[in-house]
Amino acid sequence: MLEDPREHDSYRLSNLGLALERTTVQLDEKNAANFAYRGANVLASAIENPRVTMDGGTFAELVSALGKLGRLLNPMDAARLADRLSTAINRPEKPQTAHFMAIIGALPPLANRLSPTDASRVAKLLATAMENPTETNYAVSKLGEVLVNFVSRMAPKEATGMASRCTAAVLSRMESLQGADLVSLGVPLEKLSTKMDQAELSNVAYRLVQAMEKYQEAGNGPLPEFGITLEKLLDRLEPQAAASLSSRCVLVLAESLENPRYFYRSEQLAVPLGKLVAR
């Protein structure tokens, strides 16, 4: 039923996938992995297929079903599926938004099944998508969050290089101060920062403060979310290096807080400001 090529109903597909996952617990490990791989490929085809319509609910159900099957795969099959999904997001005929988000949402459960070499290959494909100038800030943010799962599986030296590459992609967008969902980029930046040394971390924090100052000078309003990200970065910096950057960020946030135009954001501004002042 799950492999019926005429089936395009995402709700039924996700339910069949979940039923298959529950059935495999009665099988030995090898047969469970084989059936899980067949089912996972069907669901992967569904989230890649523009004819399969998805709303918010079925999107989550398909990703959940694919994730549960993915955890049953042997490392080789998990790598094949991760390669397939990460390749799909870089095709010239870009998947529709819901399908794109489903594809990247299905990747994290596969990361723990991959070898460092396989994880590195998938990370490179995700990094390429992050560097695509046509991607939205929100898509880049989600790609960065997913990529961290694969970076954690890579060899330490290679993981550091990959984190630097993707941090550069995120920072360049933050510094451009363009596009919607700009504040969402702080999430992957904070997660990628765990792979940085002190010198690189200091540079990233410095550029983030500059972006906040530039944004405010342009009259675009406050960016308390950047302040929250910066506060987390400073926690990893040596005290002397963190102190001067913290002071600059405090000035930016305080100026916004004193401006009556931004009263509606006073609560959001007070959170990072309070933490930075207390350092």
Side-chain angles (χ1 to χ4, degrees), residues 84-245:
R84 171 182 177 172
L85 294 172
S86 51
T87 298
I89 61 176
N90 284 297
R91 289 178 186 147
E93 61 282 6
K94 182 183 172 183
Q96 297 172 11
T97 301
H99 294 76
F100 179 88
M101 298 308 297
I103 290 170
I104 61 176
L107 282 166
L110 300 173
N112 287 335
R113 309 293 295 160
L114 269 55
S115 69
T117 299
D118 291 332
S120 174
R121 187 173 60 252
V122 174
K124 289 174 183 175
L125 289 166
L126 292 173
T128 297
M130 289 180 70
E131 292 165 341
N132 185 344
T134 67
E135 291 295 356
T136 64
N137 289 332
Y138 184 73
V140 169
S141 171
K142 291 303 178 184
L143 284 164
E145 291 182 54
V146 170
L147 179 133
V148 171
N149 295 276
F150 294 90
V151 170
S152 297
R153 298 288 296 173
M154 295 166 62
K157 185 176 181 180
E158 196 172 6
T160 299
M162 180 56 66
S164 297
R165 173 182 172 181
C166 295
T167 295
V170 172
L171 265 178
S172 65
R173 283 176 171 266
M174 296 175 91
E175 290 172 329
S176 74
L177 306 174
Q178 300 296 316
D181 298 309
L182 191 65
V183 296
S184 68
L185 295 167
V187 177
L189 184 65
E190 190 271 326
K191 291 185 176 182
L192 289 165
S193 71
T194 61
K195 304 297 180 182
M196 300 175 194
D197 59 26
Q198 284 290 305
E200 184 172 10
L201 187 59
S202 179
N203 180 57
V204 169
Y206 175 77
R207 290 173 63 182
L208 188 56
V209 172
Q210 281 190 315
M212 290 180 67
E213 292 170 337
K214 180 181 176 183
Y215 193 79
Q216 190 154 294
E217 287 168 4
N220 295 318
L223 279 175
E225 295 84 358
F226 279 23
I228 292 171
T229 300
L230 181 66
E231 194 267 331
K232 292 177 180 177
L233 297 182
L234 296 182
D235 279 343
R236 300 193 180 99
L237 268 180
E238 294 173 355
Q240 186 175 356
S244 62
L245 291 171

